[in-house]
Amino acid sequence: MNGALAAAPVLVPLLTAALTVALARWPRRQRAASAAGALLLLLCCAALLQGAIGGMVVTARFGEWDAPFAIAFRIDRAAALMLAVNAVLAVAVLAYPGRGALATPFGAPLVHGLLAGAGGAYATADLFNFYVWFEVMLIAALGLIVAGRRPEHLEAGLKYLVLNLFGTVLLLAAVAGLYGLTGQLNYEALGLALAGRGDDPLALLLGAMLLVALLIKAGAFPFLFWLPAAYPVLPAPLLALFTALTTKVGAYALLRVLYEVFPAAAPTYAQALGWIAVATLVAGVMGAVYHYDVRRILAFHSVSQMGYILLAVALGGAAGIAAALFFSIHHILVKANLYLIAGMIASRGGHHDLRRIGALARTDPGLAVLFALSAAALVGFPPLSGFWAKLLILREGAAQERYLWMALALCTSALTLLSMAKIWIEAFWKPHPAPAAVPQGPLAPGAWAACGMLALLALALGVMPGPLIDFLHQAAATMAAPPSGLAP
């Protein structure tokens, strides 16, 4: 039973992808099968999360092979929570009216392929299979980017492919080197093998290669440029899905690699990672302040917010890991909702350029409230989720006397407020630049349902953060513990 449950985050999306391919000629049936698959995935991930709350760690080994060749899954508290959040988002995204790639016959199969890759990356217990599942994600993501077939889609796909292929080669080379050095691939076995090699130059080099590959996947500075180039060509639901899956898996893997695979060398890497995080914060928010296209503003904010997650990873320890996980969940819910709201803004205003729309607060007050709530959460107004996410990082940073890092993080929050205020003023408050312009058609009920669900979840996370913070501290204590067999 445990094996079937552990495989569900991969098996359910793969079977759904196959079914939706078979139903490609019948769009209504395909949409129904896609939605049913997302709901089944949510139920399976909810069961995994319920077990994790009780302290259960679901493990499975496929193929009856011995280590280090076994295909092993291990779903602990952190993995179960991330899988559940992704499943919730998948349901919301598929409820949102599909456009662009989602409206094509192979949009749904590619979406479920993306979910399968993310599920495998979260569930796997070894580095090589993480590489395999991440590449499944890359292939599905690339297919979704170029599905529009227009020049801008092909250009964005090329930029996405080139930099991510470089990261892929680096990742595979690092995995091969670590296997040659230790004879292991399993996270825990690698941690044991490398625990006494904190100053081994070869081990440090391979670790650095691995971290750079994951930073590329996460869209960190200076490898961030593929993200604002690729994201703005996607329709709103895919933007929401990409922000939850592609970069967050890279950040999650950084936690696993630093604190499970390289426990002895983690302090060495953390210093450099902290400065990379700060540079990511600043570069992302400056891009957001500069642009007027809502999609580009939010894409650069995805970069900037990744900086906060990397900063928490660099701080380390149980508190830093818990802060990184909390911020990841907050960002998935809030930023995905902002991307969906951006699609609604474009539907009602007729454009993504803020200079060509306006007065939406009068014509669509409900949309204005939705945006204001999500924007305030992104900035970090109390008591919304962003406040607690940033407070956890700032508190740990102050405890470690990283005052410059924390000061730059606060300045980034101020610039985030500036860019969110720009969207509010330009899209909702100022008069429409063409007063005779007629608003577009009414928004679909599915759009309201998807955005409303995510807004309520983010609001609940802000109003009642205690249970989740406690749960994440339990998850982080396990992740930050020395490998079994070693004394603390």
Side-chain angles (χ1 to χ4, degrees):
M1 183 63 183
N2 271 4
L5 193 57
V10 171
L11 195 57
V12 171
L14 286 179
L15 291 175
T16 306
L19 180 58
T20 51
V21 168
L23 296 173
R25 294 187 179 182
W26 298 277
R28 286 188 179 180
R29 295 178 185 178
Q30 187 190 56
R31 286 194 296 270
S34 180
L39 288 171
L40 179 58
L41 177 64
L42 178 58
L43 290 174
C44 293
C45 291
L48 287 167
L49 182 58
Q50 184 178 13
I53 291 172
M56 181 178 71
V57 177
V58 178
T59 59
R61 182 173 292 178
F62 309 102
E64 300 299 327
W65 294 326
D66 295 326
F69 305 106
I71 300 173
F73 278 10
R74 184 178 186 274
I75 302 176
D76 56 10
R77 288 183 176 94
L81 183 60
M82 297 304 294
L83 287 168
V85 172
N86 284 346
V88 168
L89 187 63
V91 171
V93 164
L94 292 173
Y96 194 93
R99 291 185 177 183
L102 277 179
T104 65
F106 292 102
L110 287 170
V111 164
H112 288 282
L114 193 65
L115 291 169
Y122 282 124
T124 188
D126 72 85
L127 266 179
F128 180 74
N129 283 293
F130 170 79
Y131 156 77
V132 171
W133 290 115
F134 209 108
E135 296 319 297
V136 170
M137 284 183 59
L138 186 147
I139 293 168
L142 183 62
L144 289 167
I145 291 171
V146 302
R149 301 182 182 179
R150 294 201 299 269
E152 59 267 30
H153 295 111
L154 301 178
E155 180 184 354
L158 181 62
K159 292 176 180 177
Y160 177 84
L161 179 64
V162 168
L163 195 53
N164 276 276
L165 276 181
F166 174 70
T168 292
V169 172
L170 203 59
L171 176 60
L172 187 57
V175 171
L178 287 171
Y179 176 67
L181 182 65
T182 66
Q184 302 293 338
L185 291 169
N186 180 273
Y187 291 149
E188 187 175 2
L190 278 168
L192 283 168
L194 295 169
R197 295 176 179 262
D199 56 354
D200 184 330
L202 180 57
L204 287 172
L205 174 62
L206 293 171
M209 290 170 59
L210 193 56
L211 294 180
V212 169
L214 295 175
L215 288 170
I216 292 172
K217 306 292 186 182
F221 182 89
F223 314 108
L224 58 92
F225 300 104
W226 65 265
L227 195 152
Y231 275 25
V233 305
L234 295 169
L238 287 184
L239 279 170
L241 201 60
F242 271 50
T243 197
L245 300 184
T246 53
T247 55
K248 301 305 177 297
V249 171
Y252 176 85
L254 277 169
L255 283 173
R256 293 291 188 193
V257 166
L258 270 180
Y259 300 109
E260 292 187 0
V261 177
F262 290 95
T268 303
Y269 297 126
Q271 181 75 12
L273 183 60
W275 288 109
I276 291 171
V278 168
T280 305
L281 279 169
V282 174
V285 80
M286 293 303 291
V289 169
Y290 173 78
H291 283 284
Y292 275 84
D293 185 301
V294 179
R295 297 166 301 179
R296 290 194 180 276
I297 293 172
L298 295 179
F300 274 103
H301 272 308
S302 290
V303 172
S304 179
Q305 301 293 299
M306 180 55 62
Y308 283 104
I309 298 172
L310 296 177
L311 194 57
V313 175
L315 292 172
I321 294 171
L325 292 170
F326 190 98
F327 202 103
S328 296
I329 294 162
H330 144 74
H331 187 253
I332 287 171
L333 295 176
V334 171
K335 179 50 73 68
N337 206 16
L338 280 169
Y339 278 126
L340 297 180
I341 292 168
M344 297 168 76
I345 290 173
S347 294
R348 289 294 288 157
H351 213 279
H352 286 101
D353 192 329
L354 293 173
R355 293 164 294 192
R356 300 176 64 176
I357 57 178
L360 288 176
R362 285 201 304 274
T363 59
D364 297 270
L367 183 58
V369 171
L370 266 179
F371 173 79
L373 181 64
S374 296
L378 188 75
V379 173
F381 283 109
L384 301 174
S385 58
F387 170 76
W388 301 109
K390 293 180 180 180
L391 179 64
L392 291 173
I393 296 173
L394 292 171
R395 186 170 63 183
E396 182 59 20
Q400 296 188 21
E401 299 182 355
R402 300 287 190 176
Y403 299 121
L404 180 57
W405 290 359
M406 298 305 106
L408 290 170
L410 287 172
C411 291
T412 300
S413 287
L415 291 174
T416 302
L417 173 60
L418 176 64
S419 59
M420 290 295 106
K422 177 170 67 176
I423 297 177
W424 172 262
I425 292 169
E426 296 288 335
F428 291 94
W429 194 253
K430 80 172 192 317
H432 199 288
V438 179
Q440 306 296 306
L443 296 166
W448 288 110
C451 292
M453 180 178 75
L454 293 177
L456 287 174
L457 286 173
L459 184 60
L461 185 61
V463 174
M464 297 180 295
L468 179 60
I469 292 174
D470 292 341
F471 178 83
L472 290 177
H473 274 287
Q474 293 172 354
T478 303
M479 197 180 295
S484 42
L486 293 178

